[in-house]
Amino acid sequence: MAEYRINDLAEASGVSVRNIRVYQDRGLLPSPTIRGRTGWYSDEHLVRLNLISRMLERGYTFATISELLHAAHYGMRVEQVLRGAPRGGRFRNFKRAATITITELRKTLNATDRSIALSQKLGLLVKDGAHYAIRNPELLEGAETLVKAGIDIDLLLDRWVRVQDDLEDVAKSFVSIITDKYFDENLPDLGEEQVSKMAELIQTVRPMAHDIVESTFRKALDQQISAAIGEASTYFDATAPSSDEGSDAGVDAGVREPTADGAQAPRDVGDRVD
């Protein structure tokens, strides 16, 4: 994957260095990877810049572009953005990421040096001076809830790494639907029209792949949740008292039988009457 310094990125994209920094400040463009004192940008930044430029040319405002880009990141469709999400919902905040200190991370998430480093590697946290920028505040809120319930944050992050590796294979398998057809010995001889067609087909696969993965995962997750609840129910059913035991328990608890005049009297003289 190609890497660019900011001047190289400006030249490749046709966007000025000043505007690149503006887009970052507006939350439209992710921050570069910092190595030493140099910020390095990737092909993903170049693609994002080209998209922003095309949207600006079509008259979209910064606010609208930000909403649409964030919505795309979370798998939302345009109609969902236009319909609007309820205030306080999962997608309520399309503003620039919030920040948190390392002290707050350790306090709220019991974060260790390992978990903080892993969160950076996964892109959840980005070092921002003495603070960390939070790319996904909703995810952090969910993680805090798990930690309060006694779940180790490292366990969640390790699962994330595992899923990320698995999904890279899944993504490759979907893209290969197109590349297996076009990436052969004739690839160097493909004309511009065929390359454009190939790129268009890959973009067609993208939303289909997302819907397939999302619906399949939702179904699998529902099945696992049902299985877990079923297992817990079986345990409680096995330890619950039988109907006969329930009747005896009722007597011990002071169940009354009506007397001739309708009053409630103890069934057994030995029953305790409170």
Side-chain angles (χ1 to χ4, degrees):
M1 180 181 292
E3 290 188 313
Y4 311 85
R5 292 184 175 88
I6 191 167
N7 289 329
D8 299 327
L9 183 66
E11 182 177 352
S13 64
V15 177
S16 68
V17 170
R18 177 181 178 277
N19 281 345
I20 290 175
R21 292 198 170 108
V22 169
Y23 298 161
Q24 285 179 204
D25 290 339
R26 297 291 185 103
L28 304 180
L29 187 71
S31 300
T33 299
I34 305 298
R35 292 202 296 272
R37 301 183 64 181
T38 303
W40 292 95
Y41 298 83
S42 67
D43 285 332
E44 292 181 3
H45 290 92
L46 181 58
V47 170
R48 175 68 68 90
L49 277 176
N50 291 334
L51 177 59
I52 293 171
S53 295
R54 290 200 300 271
M55 295 178 78
L56 288 172
E57 289 172 1
R58 295 187 181 189
Y60 290 97
T61 65
F62 279 152
T64 302
I65 293 173
S66 178
E67 261 191 56
L68 292 175
L69 290 176
H70 278 78
H73 175 75
Y74 290 115
M76 294 176 68
R77 298 184 178 86
V78 173
E79 60 266 25
Q80 291 174 297
V81 179
L82 296 177
R83 186 166 61 240
R87 293 291 178 183
R90 181 183 176 191
F91 304 105
R92 66 189 179 277
N93 185 10
F94 290 112
K95 298 179 181 178
R96 193 178 181 187
T99 59
I100 191 170
T101 65
I102 190 169
T103 301
E104 291 171 325
L105 282 170
R106 296 192 188 282
K107 180 179 179 180
T108 59
L109 298 176
N110 296 330
T112 62
D113 291 341
R114 176 185 182 274
S115 57
I116 292 173
L118 193 52
S119 296
Q120 290 180 268
K121 181 180 178 180
L122 292 168
L124 176 60
L125 299 175
V126 178
K127 195 75 170 70
D128 185 9
H131 297 73
Y132 289 89
I134 304 168
R135 289 289 180 82
N136 191 331
E138 291 81 10
L139 183 57
L140 197 69
E141 290 173 6
E144 185 179 358
T145 300
L146 292 179
V147 169
K148 287 181 178 178
I151 306 298
D152 189 343
I153 187 65
D154 283 4
L155 184 62
L156 174 63
L157 295 174
D158 288 338
R159 290 290 191 277
W160 188 345
V161 171
R162 177 179 169 183
V163 168
Q164 178 175 269
D165 292 341
D166 290 342
L167 286 179
E168 285 178 0
D169 292 337
V170 171
K172 183 178 181 180
S173 70
F174 276 108
V175 173
S176 69
I177 294 173
I178 308 303
T179 57
D180 285 351
K181 178 176 177 60
Y182 287 91
F183 285 22
D184 54 24
E185 65 275 5
N186 298 317
L187 181 61
D189 300 323
L190 288 180
E192 183 178 344
E193 182 177 346
Q194 288 176 300
V195 172
S196 297
K197 179 182 178 181
M198 181 179 65
E200 183 178 343
L201 288 173
I202 289 177
Q203 289 302 318
T204 300
V205 168
R206 183 188 183 106
M208 294 173 59
H210 184 278
D211 287 345
I212 291 170
V213 171
E214 182 182 36
S215 60
T216 303
F217 178 67
R218 185 189 302 115
K219 180 180 179 181
L221 190 60
D222 287 344
Q223 290 174 340
Q224 291 300 317
I225 291 172
S226 297
I229 294 175
E231 183 177 351
S233 299
T234 301
Y235 171 79
F236 285 115
D237 288 343
T239 57
S242 65
S243 57
D244 291 340
E245 291 173 338
S247 298
D248 292 341
V251 172
D252 291 340
V255 173
R256 303 294 185 261
E257 290 181 344
T259 60
D261 60 1
Q264 295 291 326
R267 179 178 298 176
D268 294 318
V269 175
D271 284 348
R272 175 181 174 183
V273 180
D274 294 326

